[in-house]
Amino acid sequence: MCEAKAGRSKAELTFCLLGASYDTANLGVAALASGTVNSVIHSFPGAKVFLLDYGRRPASYNVRCSGGTAQVELVNLRYSWRIWLTNNIARLLLTALALRFVPLKFREPLIARNPYLSRIQDAHIIASIAGGDSFSDIYGLGRLLYVSLPQVLVIVLQKPLVLLPQTLGPFKSAFGKSIARWIIRRAKVICVRDRESTADMQSIVGQQTSRFRSFYDMAFAMESFSPSEVRLQRLKRLDACRPLVGLNVSGLLYMGGYSKDNMFHLRADYRQLVLDIIRSFLELNAHVLLIPHVFGHDGESDTTGSAEIYDKLKSVCRDQLHLLDGDYDQHEIKFVIGRCDFFLGSRMHACIGGLSQCVPSIGLAYSRKFQGVFRSIGMERLVVDMRDYDSEEILRRVLAAYESRERTREQLERTMPRVREDVLNLFFKMGLD
């Protein structure tokens, strides 16, 4: 385990994290996991941390944090029709429900015989982050069930559940609201990263509650680490006399959302908007670096859309347009973003990677989560919601922010040290120490 710079020693404490994984191409989810691990180890040096998440097989990860490396285990659940699997989430839920009717003196030995239920039972703190924004039905009821069932399992086992800072809602369906109501009413602490989530949840629950807390996104606590020297030299070769503008293109938006028909109701044509943004910065004599934040080779990945854009423009861009190729982890991508003079992203955690390093960063938003997170650090003016503005207005706002980037950087340099410290001490602030 890594040694924390500050905090109390609780070497026997076991922390269980739901709804975050390292076995994902989405570096935003990995950033949430790493930020949380860094915060836990900062608060509880020597604590044991494990992920309870879906996966075909168990795994172990060496997670880099501020004082060294923490070993984090994945206790893998299965989300499958194969109910006979020992770690099938439905089977575990049915078992946990049945155990509620067993006398206590028999219940505990039975739980101890199940390797998955016993890990939950033995954890001292169990917290869910639900991918940051998946405790909602905007991505479909399937995604909501996927992230909710492990939370339900924890509650059925009568273990206290903490909801870490995330966007809760919105919920459009009656079924989605019912799931949210059931979990929220039973959670020990509910942390949100935007005030709209508090209003939504209190509306659904039908009451005001002191269990709601507002905190910053956990990714603000994630460390950045340099990529290999070879890759670092490529970045250094960019002309230091020109500003470097980082641009994250969302593959999900580039393909029109999961439905492929402008699922998020953007007013601008996203593909054309990206081209217009690139051309505008090239005209300002800046370097533009395309930076993926979701990797892979499917349509949703940022690498696919970025490569298509690069191939389309590279012949006419006079060596000013660049594509970050190869595989990077969440720490390395954050490092790359930190070298930019200005950044734009449609993946919110790519933007957090910039803001947390005092890089003026525009959030090209498709959901309300951007506004809430940016507002929490006093940077809501940097959100350009593509559902509200056409291409012309988006471009005008982007270029205005670019012109005032030095003032924004100075403000971030005053704000970020406190934000980072607050996230590192989150568990003390929640009274879980």
Side-chain angles (χ1 to χ4, degrees):
M1 288 295 177
C2 64
E3 294 298 323
K5 294 179 181 177
R8 307 177 192 184
S9 179
K10 291 194 175 183
E12 301 304 315
L13 183 138
T14 300
F15 182 93
C16 172
L17 178 61
L18 314 179
S21 173
Y22 291 105
D23 189 21
T24 173
N26 188 328
L27 298 189
V29 176
L32 285 169
S34 288
T36 302
V37 171
N38 204 23
S39 179
V40 170
I41 299 301
H42 178 91
S43 299
F44 312 118
K48 298 174 183 176
V49 182
F50 73 91
L51 309 178
L52 185 71
D53 200 49
Y54 301 104
R56 289 190 172 273
R57 55 188 63 86
S60 182
Y61 309 97
N62 292 319
V63 179
R64 293 184 282 185
C65 55
S66 53
T69 302
Q71 187 173 8
V72 176
E73 181 185 358
L74 169 66
V75 176
N76 66 309
L77 304 175
R78 293 299 300 274
Y79 187 78
S80 167
W81 291 110
R82 293 187 285 180
I83 193 72
W84 61 86
L85 295 172
T86 308
N87 57 346
N88 182 289
I89 184 63
R91 175 173 173 166
L92 290 171
L93 268 171
L94 291 172
T95 302
L97 284 167
L99 288 171
R100 295 285 291 269
F101 299 98
V102 174
L104 185 61
K105 65 178 181 179
F106 299 117
R107 186 188 310 161
E108 292 186 358
L110 288 172
I111 289 176
R113 291 172 60 183
N114 186 301
Y116 300 94
L117 298 183
S118 64
R119 293 297 298 272
I120 299 172
Q121 189 68 31
D122 293 342
H124 299 99
I125 300 175
I126 303 176
S128 172
I129 205 160
D133 68 344
S134 291
F135 196 73
S136 168
D137 58 10
I138 64 169
Y139 299 113
L141 288 173
R143 173 81 72 90
L144 177 60
L145 276 174
Y146 189 83
V147 300
S148 296
L149 289 177
Q151 300 177 57
V152 173
L153 176 60
V154 169
I155 292 170
V156 170
L157 286 172
Q158 298 179 298
K159 295 288 290 185
L161 176 68
V162 174
L163 301 186
L164 290 176
Q166 58 190 280
T167 298
L168 302 175
F171 294 93
K172 300 177 182 178
S173 67
F175 182 63
K177 290 178 181 177
S178 297
I179 294 174
R181 184 181 301 114
W182 193 89
I183 292 174
I184 294 297
R185 285 180 173 174
R186 291 162 176 80
K188 179 180 180 180
V189 180
I190 305 106
C191 299
V192 297
R193 58 191 186 185
D194 60 280
R195 62 192 182 196
E196 290 85 0
S197 290
T198 300
D200 262 8
M201 292 304 100
Q202 289 181 336
S203 172
I204 288 172
V205 173
Q207 61 188 23
Q208 301 287 320
T209 172
S210 60
R211 292 177 295 125
F212 281 97
R213 316 280 178 81
S214 293
F215 287 105
Y216 303 109
D217 189 282
M218 297 304 296
F220 281 108
M222 186 185 76
E223 299 290 333
S224 71
F225 292 100
S226 173
S228 68
E229 186 61 28
V230 173
R231 289 178 170 178
L232 187 58
Q233 288 304 317
R234 293 179 194 165
L235 291 173
K236 289 180 178 178
R237 281 198 290 268
L238 296 181
D239 185 356
C241 296
R242 294 180 181 179
L244 177 60
V245 175
L247 175 61
N248 161 248
V249 177
S250 166
L252 179 60
L253 299 183
Y254 197 74
M255 72 178 190
Y258 296 115
S259 63
K260 299 185 179 179
D261 62 352
N262 193 18
M263 174 183 179
F264 299 104
H265 307 293
L266 308 185
R267 287 186 60 187
D269 180 328
Y270 185 75
R271 292 186 172 215
Q272 185 59 49
L273 174 65
V274 168
L275 296 177
D276 291 343
I277 288 173
I278 292 172
R279 291 185 179 113
S280 295
F281 281 109
L282 296 181
E283 289 174 3
L284 292 172
N285 201 34
H287 282 295
V288 177
L289 177 62
L290 300 173
I291 305 176
H293 211 255
V294 174
F295 286 79
H297 301 289
D298 58 6
E300 185 184 346
S301 78
D302 300 350
T303 50
T304 302
S306 297
E308 182 177 318
I309 292 165
Y310 180 72
D311 288 340
K312 184 179 296 186
L313 295 179
K314 64 181 180 181
S315 63
V316 295
C317 288
R318 304 184 307 279
D319 298 322
Q320 288 178 253
L321 180 64
H322 313 274
L323 174 64
L324 190 74
D325 54 2
D327 293 326
Y328 293 76
D329 69 18
Q330 63 276 13
H331 304 282
E332 294 167 338
I333 284 291
K334 180 171 181 176
F335 181 92
V336 172
I337 293 172
R339 293 186 63 87
C340 297
D341 298 292
F342 189 74
F343 182 77
L344 306 95
S346 297
R347 301 286 187 179
M348 192 187 70
H349 283 97
C351 297
I352 290 175
L355 295 168
S356 61
Q357 298 178 96
C358 303
V359 176
S361 303
I362 288 286
L364 296 170
Y366 64 92
S367 79
R368 76 180 192 195
K369 65 182 179 180
F370 285 79
Q371 187 68 27
V373 170
F374 278 59
R375 183 188 294 121
S376 72
I377 61 169
M379 288 290 154
E380 59 268 32
R381 71 177 185 275
L382 296 181
V383 176
V384 180
D385 197 323
M386 296 180 290
R387 301 170 302 171
D388 296 336
Y389 305 117
D390 60 21
S391 296
E392 184 177 348
E393 179 62 14
I394 291 171
L395 196 55
R396 188 191 70 78
R397 289 171 177 261
V398 164
L399 295 178
Y402 180 71
E403 288 300 314
S404 61
R405 63 189 182 279
E406 290 307 318
R407 178 170 61 88
T408 300
R409 183 183 293 276
E410 291 170 3
Q411 184 178 348
L412 287 168
E413 287 172 348
R414 292 192 297 270
T415 302
M416 280 302 112
R418 173 180 53 81
V419 171
R420 174 180 163 77
E421 193 64 23
D422 281 354
V423 179
L424 286 174
N425 291 308
L426 172 70
F427 297 99
F428 292 155
K429 291 177 175 292
M430 285 196 295
L432 298 178
D433 56 322

